[in-house]
Amino acid sequence: MICPLLGPAAPDSLDDGACVPAPGEHLVLTTDSYVVSPPFFPGGDIGRLAACGTINDLAMQAAEPTYLTLGVILEEGFPLRDLARALQSLAGVLAETGMRVAAGDTKVVERGKGGGLFLNTTGLGVRRYAADGRVSSAQPGDAVLLSGTIGDHGMAVMTRREGLRMEPQILSDVAPLWGMIRELLEARLPIHALRDPTRGGLTSALCEIAAASKTGIRVRERAIPVRPPVRAACSLLGLDPLNVANEGKALIVLPAAAAERALAILRANPLGREAAIIGSVEKCPAGTALLETAIGGERQLTVPLGEELPRIC
Amino acid sequence: MICPLLGPAAPDSLDDGACVPAPGEHLVLTTDSYVVSPPFFPGGDIGRLAACGTINDLAMQAAEPTYLTLGVILEEGFPLRDLARALQSLAGVLAETGMRVAAGDTKVVERGKGGGLFLNTTGLGVRRYAADGRVSSAQPGDAVLLSGTIGDHGMAVMTRREGLRMEPQILSDVAPLWGMIRELLEARLPIHALRDPTRGGLTSALCEIAAASKTGIRVRERAIPVRPPVRAACSLLGLDPLNVANEGKALIVLPAAAAERALAILRANPLGREAAIIGSVEKCPAGTALLETAIGGERQLTVPLGEELPRIC
């Protein structure tokens, strides 16, 4: 039943192996499993999440998404119409991005031995641009751009799970970022680092860039866009929006001189309308990310410990 | 904890994305999830199974295994020493075959929402030889070779699960076949079709080749090697060894004139010592696989319905 659901993205029959022409010289491979609970949440579902997660992992390495493999692990009793909805959702994103399903596999486990629906997607991408998005390449003098509001995905899942009703409702930001990133690459902007702040949120992404590039990253809390209901839900649940997962946002690090041009390109894209320059890369303190708080203080960001948000992806 | 366990097969850090040079022009992508229960069984474990399954799927497409991505889905409470054993086992097979881990991902789900340990592996291979192993290319006049005994993997898992003790113990045949297949390819044998008789056993594989190539396949039951304890366990459980899964066997279809040379190459390899010519490809009845039974009758093979052996891989 799975192939027809995958629509234009799928070959006629989805064997567990397929031969494809090498799409280029520099390939990028990425893999992720998706176990989000619940599988349907405001603004998205596990299928859309799996497609976007893979596309965005490739995009963050400046790689054009080409082929995807799909592993489905289904618990007996999981409604087939829900499987269909999730896969149609995945197929829609792939069709939009021009990515094709190359191979697939389905396993069914007994009731009580699975979590409903798990998906694994592996992406094969090709790097056609000079930039490579490595987080280790941030340099003092760079600006740090964020493509939009943070915390939407994590709080959409979390409020649904906890039965919290926010007004207006919080929707996941889950979206495929390749189109927007490609616009930056095509403009030949000298991008030094790319990262999507998924699990662990903006905090983890900033800490990773600072640590890998041995630079000091300084961001201004006031410059970081957070929607009011996300901020309110975080307060209720005792969470910091900076630590909450996103699935449709990117951090872009590039020389300050190119920041305004990059910002204009981001804002012209529907997924980047609320993009902002949130900070800068400095020499010291090397390996550290600092937050200038809204009330004028300064604190060091540290990678969230434990699982603030289990199964948000 | 995972990278060091993967030993020489892994990069220093296993991100969920990695850039690799394109290993060749004709790539093969394959994916499979592994949910075998129990995860450790006589002769193998889920880690060895995942590595071999991926390697063999690539080998059956005449593709040299190059990179593997690894998705781990762990249920809270699954013993970490068992995870370590399974991953070391996977790493051992990869090292032996020269395949490298390119990217990985780990998800943990709550107790009761998983099946202990699930693995997903995606393989990237490169086709360097003229043969491509397509099951649709079998031709009348071809011989059908089987690389060894059948039913070992399925019955090793099944007897362990049912608590049956056989003498001698049945061991899974789980093994990486690329080395043996490469020997056939390097000898420039005119291989028409390759298939590993995994789920659904020899029966499914023969039916698939017959259907895809629109030929009639005729095999002799007496020529098909089955170990005595496997035959006995099948009798006890009411199963046909021809329908039972294998994880270290291959069907090779090539012109009859080349069959003896292929057989000699297979038998010279430790994994092919019991290889045999089990039948032939004929023109009619097109799309059908026939078994000449040991008692002189003839019956049509049909793909096993339902799940004779759930979670054997």
Side-chain angles (χ1 to χ4, degrees), chain A residues 72 79 113 174 288:
Chain A
V72 176
K113 299 287 181 192
V174 57
T288 303

Side-chain angles (χ1 to χ4, degrees), chain A residues 16-20 22 24-25 27-33 57 61 69 105 107 110 113-115 118 120 122 311, chain B residues 16-20 22 24-25 27-33 57 61 69 105 107 110 113-115 118 120 122 311:
Chain A
D16 60 4
C19 190
V20 300
E25 269 180 57
L27 303 182
V28 176
L29 269 172
T30 173
T31 194
D32 258 312
S33 302
D57 277 348
Q61 303 219 29
T69 66
D105 173 65
K107 292 289 186 305
E110 306 94 302
K113 299 287 181 192
F118 295 157
N120 175 281
T122 297
R311 297 187 67 183
Chain B
D16 60 5
C19 190
V20 301
E25 269 181 58
L27 304 182
V28 176
L29 269 172
T30 173
T31 194
D32 257 313
S33 302
D57 276 348
Q61 303 219 29
T69 67
D105 172 67
K107 293 288 186 306
E110 306 94 301
K113 299 287 182 192
F118 296 156
N120 175 281
T122 297
R311 297 187 66 182

Side-chain angles (χ1 to χ4, degrees), chain A:
Chain A
M1 79 174 256
I2 290 181
C3 287
L5 293 174
L6 295 175
D12 294 340
S13 78
L14 201 57
D15 209 341
D16 60 4
C19 190
V20 300
E25 269 180 57
H26 301 285
L27 303 182
V28 176
L29 269 172
T30 173
T31 194
D32 258 312
S33 302
Y34 296 87
V35 299
V36 62
S37 168
F40 297 89
F41 45 82
D45 58 58
I46 190 172
R48 182 169 173 84
L49 193 60
C52 294
T54 300
I55 289 165
N56 295 350
D57 277 348
L58 293 172
M60 294 308 118
Q61 303 219 29
E64 177 183 328
T66 55
Y67 295 101
L68 177 132
T69 66
L70 174 66
V72 176
I73 302 179
L74 208 57
E75 184 183 1
E76 266 183 346
F78 186 81
L80 289 184
R81 65 174 181 281
D82 287 352
L83 175 63
R85 264 179 71 198
L87 294 181
Q88 278 160 347
S89 181
L90 174 141
V93 177
L94 297 187
E96 198 184 306
T97 309
M99 193 178 201
R100 296 195 45 144
V101 182
D105 173 65
T106 303
K107 292 289 186 305
V108 178
V109 298
E110 306 94 302
R111 207 180 281 263
K113 299 287 181 192
L117 174 62
F118 295 157
L119 298 179
N120 175 281
T121 46
T122 297
L124 180 68
V126 58
R127 195 176 278 167
R128 300 195 198 281
Y129 301 90
D132 69 3
R134 261 187 297 213
V135 286
S136 57
S137 308
Q139 289 170 26
D142 285 351
V144 178
L145 277 69
L146 175 64
S147 68
T149 59
I150 57 164
D152 301 81
H153 174 71
M155 295 321 294
V157 174
M158 205 66 171
T159 51
R160 163 59 56 99
R161 200 151 63 199
E162 301 295 325
L164 283 181
R165 287 176 160 261
M166 306 302 293
E167 270 307 327
Q169 191 186 28
I170 301 172
L171 300 180
S172 167
D173 62 340
V174 57
L177 295 173
W178 170 244
M180 189 168 70
I181 297 300
R182 188 183 49 207
E183 288 165 6
L184 296 175
L185 295 167
E186 281 177 349
R188 299 180 183 277
L189 287 167
I191 293 173
H192 288 161
L194 284 169
R195 194 80 175 187
D196 53 341
T198 54
R199 207 143 47 149
L202 187 63
T203 300
S204 289
L206 291 171
C207 289
E208 283 161 16
I209 297 173
S213 62
K214 299 187 180 65
T215 59
I217 293 190
R218 183 175 288 267
V219 295
R220 297 177 304 279
E221 191 168 21
R222 278 186 188 283
I224 299 169
V226 183
R227 285 187 214 290
V230 169
R231 198 181 290 283
C234 281
S235 295
L236 276 170
L237 296 172
L239 298 170
D240 182 344
L242 271 67
N243 295 350
V244 175
N246 311 280
E247 293 290 346
K249 296 293 151 37
L251 275 168
I252 300 109
V253 179
L254 78 183
E260 287 296 338
R261 236 180 99 215
L263 194 63
I265 292 173
L266 290 173
R267 287 188 174 162
N269 187 296
L271 295 175
R273 272 193 209 117
E274 292 162 285
I277 299 175
I278 63 165
S280 56
V281 182
E282 297 175 13
K283 208 164 168 186
C284 302
T288 303
L290 291 174
L291 179 75
E292 295 176 5
T293 65
I295 54 168
E298 190 177 282
R299 74 174 164 92
Q300 188 181 333
L301 296 175
T302 52
V303 175
L305 277 180
E307 286 277 12
E308 272 206 8
L309 290 176
R311 297 187 67 183
I312 47 71
C313 61

